[in-house]
Amino acid sequence: MINPGKQLEDIELTKTQRERAVTLYTHLCEGIQARGLNISFYPQGSFALKTAVRPFAKGKEQAYDVDVICNFDDYSKDELDSGQLMLLLRHTAREVCKERSLEIDYYERCVTVHYADDPSGVSFSIDLIPAVRESELKLAVLRAKTEESELVETSIAIDSLSRGWITNNPQGYRKWFEEKADQFDSRFIQESRGVFASVEELPDDDTPSSRLRQSIKLLKRLRDVYYDEIDAKTSSPSVIITTIVTKLAQSISPSVTSLELLDAIILELNQVFLLHERGEAYATTYQTMPIAKIVMRENGKWVLRNPTNWEDNVLSSWNETGAVASKEFFGWIKSLQVITKDYKKRGQSDLEFEQQFRGLLLINKKSPNMPRFNVNSSNGVKPWKKQ
């Protein structure tokens, strides 16, 4: 059966890239703090969740980055007008970058610091996002409505120059994700012990602690390849994949193989596509699926609530004019079925499927028989990088 570890070696950041990111991140944050600012720095997104893969677009690997929250500990949201933190961060980061001959760009909700290419020729950047702790009034509202209300306390308000404050909770989301991933791993170990009670070691299938993350990483790479092939102007945010997969995992047997886990996730994702395609005609059937408790339709809108921030609809982009984001996502879902559907129908050998899967990940780009998605990403612009 497919060995995800083998696939992931070719799409994950290398050890050198990860270590370089940590070094540069630490050095930059210390430089900003040395200017007298009392700021708590912490990563959010894929680096924080340990689900980072090498970005892929335009047929090749692209620059990778780290999203860093800069929490100004000496200020409160009630004391500031929106934009003040951003101006302060811009000024300080500009000084540090000038001193170190680093390039810097300014966006609506972040400051981006660019570094020279690493030895492999891949560039790296750090997005600095200014924030303060959320107000007590907003925290009270979130506690009353948020699914994981006990995680609301770490909520922050992200600053911007002209678009006001936006509530976010990256630390709460990270804790939620890690707890769910640990629960999935624990269930895997418990079920395995029940089956292999007389065996000293667990069966050599996958590394239990990384099974959920493996599926997320593979899906993210498959997304990047598909969106690149359709020449999409945006990309589906990783938080959509991460949230759906993490929630789905709670209803999937953890004893399945990596391919079966991926197949189960794709099957549930396909139910969303069918609901989109058939509408009310499929609604009753859809409600019987585990995915129905995760991705919902409310008043004609797609809804996937951030489990640590009720106000954050992870699928908000699906409801925008033209619904381009949802159409592209549904196209990707439909194409995903080629991964396991052909394998089961044709009775391919493990080696044959391994080669096909590597082709879909665009790992072996020189293979003459490399399968592609049945379509003709540039990476999407992150919301805090909109001009």
Side-chain angles (χ1 to χ4, degrees):
M1 192 59 69
I2 180 175
N3 178 3
K6 191 174 182 180
Q7 317 291 338
L8 290 169
E9 286 177 3
D10 293 302
I11 66 173
E12 290 177 320
L13 296 175
T14 65
K15 180 180 179 181
T16 300
Q17 288 173 328
R18 292 194 301 270
E19 291 177 346
R20 181 172 186 254
V22 171
T23 299
L24 295 178
Y25 154 71
T26 303
H27 194 212
L28 177 63
C29 294
E30 289 177 346
I32 293 175
Q33 284 180 325
R35 262 66 181 178
L37 294 179
N38 184 19
I39 301 178
S40 297
F41 297 92
Y42 57 88
Q44 74 162 359
S46 297
F47 262 87
L49 304 179
K50 300 179 182 177
T51 58
V53 296
R54 302 179 204 174
F56 181 91
K58 299 180 181 178
K60 62 181 181 180
E61 291 177 4
Q62 298 293 317
Y64 62 105
D65 61 14
V66 175
D67 302 328
V68 178
I69 297 295
C70 308
N71 197 66
F72 285 72
D73 297 324
D74 290 339
Y75 298 91
S76 71
K77 179 181 172 182
D78 297 330
E79 298 173 335
L80 300 168
D81 292 327
S82 176
Q84 289 182 285
L85 288 183
M86 175 57 76
L87 292 175
L88 180 56
L89 180 62
R90 282 187 174 192
H91 174 73
T92 308
R94 186 187 301 117
E95 289 184 343
V96 174
C97 290
K98 183 178 180 180
E99 181 182 279
R100 301 179 184 184
S101 300
L102 297 173
E103 292 186 15
I104 187 170
D105 282 326
Y106 308 104
Y107 297 93
E108 177 66 24
R109 287 192 174 117
C110 82
V111 173
T112 300
V113 179
H114 302 278
Y115 293 85
D117 292 356
D118 66 22
S120 68
V122 178
S123 57
F124 170 73
S125 63
I126 295 177
D127 291 344
L128 300 171
I129 307 165
V132 291
R133 173 179 164 80
E134 252 301 356
S135 67
E136 287 301 323
L137 180 61
K138 177 55 70 70
L139 290 177
V141 172
L142 294 175
R143 289 187 198 104
K145 296 182 177 181
T146 299
E147 177 183 339
E148 302 286 346
S149 59
E150 71 280 4
L151 299 179
V152 163
E153 305 311 311
T154 52
S155 297
I156 57 174
I158 292 178
D159 195 16
S160 70
L161 286 180
S162 62
R163 301 184 185 183
W165 301 93
I166 181 172
T167 302
N168 201 350
N169 191 4
Q171 286 185 313
Y173 188 91
R174 177 179 180 176
K175 185 175 182 180
W176 170 80
F177 174 78
E178 290 177 344
E179 287 178 350
K180 297 302 181 184
D182 288 346
Q183 289 173 12
F184 188 79
D185 298 338
S186 297
R187 287 170 48 227
F188 172 82
I189 294 172
Q190 290 171 1
E191 290 192 17
S192 298
R193 283 175 176 168
V195 176
F196 301 94
S198 61
V199 182
E200 291 185 3
E201 297 182 358
L202 297 178
D204 186 16
D205 177 22
D206 301 308
T207 303
S209 62
S210 64
R211 289 166 64 84
L212 198 60
R213 288 183 173 88
Q214 286 173 347
S215 296
I216 291 171
K217 289 178 181 179
L218 291 174
L219 284 169
K220 286 169 64 174
R221 176 62 169 220
L222 291 166
R223 170 207 58 190
D224 290 346
V225 172
Y226 174 80
Y227 277 70
D228 182 52
E229 294 213 357
I230 66 172
D231 194 25
K233 301 305 179 185
T234 61
S235 181
S236 179
S238 295
V239 67
I240 294 178
I241 296 172
T242 303
T243 305
I244 291 177
V245 171
T246 304
K247 283 177 167 284
L248 276 177
Q250 309 314 304
S251 62
I252 298 174
S253 171
S255 61
V256 297
T257 65
S258 291
L259 178 58
E260 290 168 340
L261 176 59
L262 194 62
D263 190 26
I265 292 169
I266 293 171
L267 177 64
E268 290 295 326
L269 287 173
N270 188 54
Q271 307 311 314
V272 184
F273 165 72
L274 292 174
L275 180 63
H276 156 74
E277 189 177 57
R278 302 175 187 176
E280 290 301 320
Y282 194 71
T284 301
T285 301
Y286 182 77
Q287 292 304 318
T288 65
M289 307 291 178
I291 192 72
K293 296 180 180 179
I294 302 170
V295 177
M296 295 167 281
R297 293 282 286 171
E298 295 180 359
N299 300 319
K301 303 288 187 180
W302 292 103
V303 176
L304 169 58
R305 296 290 180 193
N306 183 324
T308 65
N309 176 11
W310 182 87
E311 291 188 349
D312 178 21
N313 178 11
V314 178
L315 299 181
S316 59
S317 62
W318 288 17
N319 302 315
E320 295 175 358
T321 304
V324 175
S326 60
K327 290 175 183 176
E328 290 177 343
F329 188 85
F330 294 137
W332 175 57
I333 291 176
K334 187 175 181 181
S335 71
L336 279 176
Q337 294 185 77
V338 71
I339 298 171
T340 53
K341 190 175 181 181
D342 285 353
Y343 176 80
K344 290 184 286 189
K345 276 190 174 181
R346 298 177 186 175
Q348 291 174 304
S349 68
D350 290 346
L351 179 59
E352 288 173 329
F353 182 74
E354 184 101 9
Q355 291 173 339
Q356 182 189 37
F357 196 73
R358 287 175 67 82
L360 285 169
L361 295 172
L362 292 195
I363 291 173
N364 185 10
K365 293 186 276 291
K366 296 182 180 180
S367 172
N369 299 315
M370 182 184 69
R372 306 277 290 212
F373 285 112
N374 296 319
V375 296
N376 292 334
S377 107
S378 55
N379 287 338
V381 177
K382 297 179 180 180
W384 51 85
K385 274 196 172 182
K386 292 180 179 178
Q387 293 283 10

